[in-house]
Amino acid sequence: MEHLLAAVCILGVEGWILEAEHEDLPLFDGSASMWENAILATGLAGPPLLAPRPAVVFECADARGWIRIRPSEQLELRMTWTDGVGGAESWSGGASELGQLLKARTFVRSHDFARARGAGLLVGVGPDSGRLLRGMLQDDAEMFLAASLGVDPSQEVWTGGPARQAGECAAHKALDLIGDFHLGLGGIPLGKIEAMDSGHFLHLKACQGLG
């Protein structure tokens, strides 16, 4: 649900009810663009939803990444993702720039995608459901996947084409963070938020610590 929740949070929609026919929501193109368009069509969009400002500096980490939130009078968000296309990527902005994140697509490395498919996951996910990036190319499943897609396995981006914006991987990770924070806290904590290589489990850990 994190893409829908991020759109709801960034576009400031309150008092809504979700009715769904399946436990998973459609991934669409891997971004929150479809949810953005639907919300804007209602005329209910407003300023981003903010959670209370933390009283002190808050930090948490896991084996991969970390999150740090400092009290501030203004929202500032900076996300760094070290495994982006071609290397480390970053996205930063304040409340007025959050709308940039809504078009950033999800992504997955080819080895993770191949393993997930082998485990019976991602059944409804196809080449148009985000960006498929080159992985480690260490097993036959990845090479078979490349052949089935008709792509050169040596190229960095297998499906999804050019980035929609600079640092699209980092921008999408920032979108995920906002969606997870909205689920756990009802909005984005007011403060200076810095994160590196954070994922859903770390976002949950942060919500538990801040809540």
Side-chain angles (χ1 to χ4, degrees), residues 71-91:
S72 174
E73 296 299 321
Q74 294 184 327
L75 174 66
E76 300 176 64
L77 172 60
R78 180 177 180 83
M79 170 65 74
T80 300
W81 185 254
T82 59
D83 191 26
V85 177
E89 299 181 359
S90 64
W91 183 92

Side-chain angles (χ1 to χ4, degrees), residues 5-30:
L5 290 171
V8 165
C9 186
I10 291 172
L11 296 174
V13 180
E14 298 183 90
W16 55 281
I17 297 173
L18 172 65
E19 296 182 0
E21 296 179 346
H22 192 272
E23 61 184 8
D24 289 327
L25 298 182
L27 192 56
F28 298 121
D29 67 349

Side-chain angles (χ1 to χ4, degrees), residues 159-180:
T159 66
R164 291 180 176 176
Q165 62 192 93
E168 186 174 3
C169 293
H172 187 81
K173 285 298 177 180
L175 183 79
D176 284 346
L177 181 146
I178 291 173
D180 291 340

Side-chain angles (χ1 to χ4, degrees), residues 5 9 51-52 54 58-61 67-69 176-189 193 198-211:
L5 290 171
C9 186
F58 173 84
E59 296 179 321
C60 66
I67 298 173
R68 181 185 301 116
I69 304 176
D176 284 346
L177 181 146
I178 291 173
D180 291 340
F181 274 16
H182 183 55
L183 177 64
L185 300 173
I188 318 163
I193 306 170
S198 64
H200 295 301
F201 289 109
L202 185 55
H203 301 164
L204 174 61
K205 184 177 179 180
C207 289
Q208 291 172 336
L210 289 164

